[in-house]
Amino acid sequence: SSKFLSFITSVFVVSCTSVETVPVLIVGGGASGVSAGIQSSRMGVETMIIEETPWLGGMLTSAGVSCIDGNYRMRSGLFGEFLDSLAASYGGYDALKTGWVSNVCFEPHVGQEIFTSMTDACKDNLVVERNSTIRKVERKEGDWLVTFVDGGGCRRRILADVLIDAT
């Protein structure tokens, strides 16, 4: 049955003939990959994130590990923006103190929505490809050639100057 599934999958994958280019390619849309993508795009660099699932945030959102350890009073950078957005969603920082081990607890879908909002705000320089699977990574004359199947079933090739593995 696995041979049949492989055959069916290969029949429905459409190959794209062109090679797209992007200066920064990030594989993995977890919290670190999203943060890298947002920062890169805010610095004016065209960036792409390839995420295998439909959700952004990795284990912080899709695995339901949505209680953040650490000192939530040390808010800065992208983490601070994320925390501020959580507080705004729930009506203040005190509303996040619902757990035993953390002063920052939230519903996974809220975190995913915040990451989506943050990446959408960078859409001039940031593309997020969800439901996409990496098929091959090659080093070509100092660049990275990455082949993946996007959410629509199209096999695509991306040539990137910088590749960040955030899986």
Side-chain angles (χ1 to χ4, degrees):
S1 71
S2 65
K3 288 181 183 178
F4 178 73
L5 182 60
S6 293
F7 170 75
I8 293 299
T9 302
S10 66
V11 168
F12 290 107
V13 171
V14 178
S15 291
C16 298
T17 56
S18 65
V19 175
E20 302 168 63
T21 60
V22 66
V24 176
L25 178 62
I26 301 162
V27 178
S32 61
V34 168
S35 296
I38 291 169
Q39 185 59 44
S40 175
S41 67
R42 286 182 180 176
M43 294 174 71
V45 179
E46 290 181 33
T47 305
M48 178 184 284
I49 298 171
I50 298 175
E51 168 54 33
E52 195 167 40
T53 72
W55 278 44
L56 296 178
M59 71 178 214
L60 193 61
T61 59
S62 61
V65 186
S66 50
C67 289
I68 301 172
D69 295 337
N71 187 343
Y72 79 103
R73 292 183 204 130
M74 296 178 68
R75 298 184 298 271
S76 64
L78 292 170
F79 180 64
E81 288 180 40
F82 182 76
L83 290 179
D84 289 345
S85 295
L86 283 173
S89 294
Y90 285 98
Y93 280 95
D94 286 340
L96 301 176
K97 297 177 184 179
T98 59
W100 291 14
V101 297
S102 176
N103 285 321
V104 179
C105 297
F106 58 94
E107 298 160 285
H109 75 92
V110 174
Q112 195 282 142
E113 290 165 2
I114 291 169
F115 282 131
T116 296
S117 177
M118 291 173 79
T119 57
D120 286 350
C122 298
K123 65 183 175 185
D124 288 344
N125 287 321
L126 180 61
V127 172
V128 179
E129 293 289 342
R130 299 172 193 238
N131 298 309
S132 299
T133 306
I134 300 295
R135 295 291 189 214
K136 189 175 186 180
V137 176
E138 304 171 80
R139 192 79 164 136
K140 294 280 186 179
E141 298 175 14
D143 292 324
W144 295 97
L145 181 62
V146 177
T147 304
F148 73 101
V149 177
D150 69 17
C154 181
R155 180 167 297 194
R156 295 170 55 190
R157 298 171 67 199
I158 305 291
L159 188 65
D161 297 327
V162 175
L163 176 67
I164 298 173
D165 182 352
T167 56

